[in-house]
Amino acid sequence: MKSQWLSNSILCLSAAMLAACATKPTKEETFIPPGVQVVPKNTISINYSLRHNAYLFQLQSVNDADFSAKSAVNEKVIEDRKIARDKYISIANRIYEFAESYKKTKAGSEECKSPFNIRMEKNGQVNEVQGCRSQDESGELGKIIREGEILFYTEQ
């Protein structure tokens, strides 16, 4: 009787351990969760090429009170300014959602005349997505970049 109890206990413990090990870690649905109290230090960069020019749009959060956006063409900074926290969170999440969606739907090694690279750094983790703007049929990446550039001309 004691050995049966022991074998049942071991069986239950094994099943519990197996279930715990088999559980996937939760996947983030947004880059910065809604209602977050403190925005972690992070950087999001979008590098893309159009014709013979190399462009950069970059968002950066140094701490929860310091948010900035930068735009550069051929390594020359065009704009670099502070932006409002809520606008930062909104565009950072749009970029993240686009990158995650693009990773799931687009794959290809075809030649590309308009490549892009999105690099997202947060909490020491780096996530990169590379692709071709011509594969973005909805034009979402271009819309996000335009919305980001509008941040330079709106009030904080």
Side-chain angles (χ1 to χ4, degrees):
M1 184 155 189
K2 193 173 188 179
S3 64
Q4 184 180 9
W5 177 84
L6 185 59
S7 66
N8 283 346
S9 296
I10 291 172
L11 182 62
C12 288
L13 183 60
S14 298
M17 288 176 59
L18 180 62
C21 292
T23 306
K24 287 185 176 179
T26 58
K27 175 92 173 94
E28 286 186 282
E29 292 182 19
T30 58
F31 190 68
I32 301 170
V36 68
Q37 296 297 317
V38 177
V39 175
K41 179 180 178 181
N42 64 71
T43 303
I44 301 174
S45 301
I46 302 175
N47 292 288
Y48 60 100
S49 297
L50 288 175
R51 296 174 190 84
H52 300 290
N53 295 313
Y55 292 83
L56 166 72
F57 176 73
Q58 185 177 65
L59 295 173
Q60 189 168 32
S61 167
V62 177
N63 58 47
D64 195 48
D66 190 11
F67 304 97
S68 64
K70 177 167 74 173
S71 179
V73 179
N74 297 326
E75 298 183 17
K76 181 181 177 195
V77 175
I78 305 300
E79 290 283 344
D80 188 358
R81 68 180 291 197
K82 293 188 183 307
I83 58 174
R85 181 183 196 268
D86 60 329
K87 291 181 180 183
Y88 180 91
I89 291 171
S90 173
I91 197 153
N93 284 335
R94 281 198 56 206
I95 293 168
Y96 177 81
E97 289 164 8
F98 170 80
E100 290 299 305
S101 172
Y102 190 90
K103 276 195 306 193
K104 291 177 188 168
T105 60
K106 307 293 182 208
S109 56
E110 65 186 53
E111 190 174 317
C112 179
K113 293 181 182 178
S114 56
F116 71 84
N117 180 63
I118 299 174
R119 180 182 169 93
M120 299 171 283
E121 269 183 74
K122 182 173 77 170
N123 298 327
Q125 301 288 322
V126 176
N127 185 12
E128 273 192 78
V129 175
Q130 297 177 349
C132 190
R133 289 186 71 177
S134 60
Q135 290 180 341
D136 176 23
E137 289 114 17
S138 68
E140 185 64 17
L141 183 61
K143 292 174 189 173
I144 291 169
I145 292 167
R146 277 191 301 281
E147 181 181 316
E149 290 172 343
I150 288 171
L151 293 175
F152 297 126
Y153 308 106
T154 60
E155 291 193 33
Q156 294 185 26

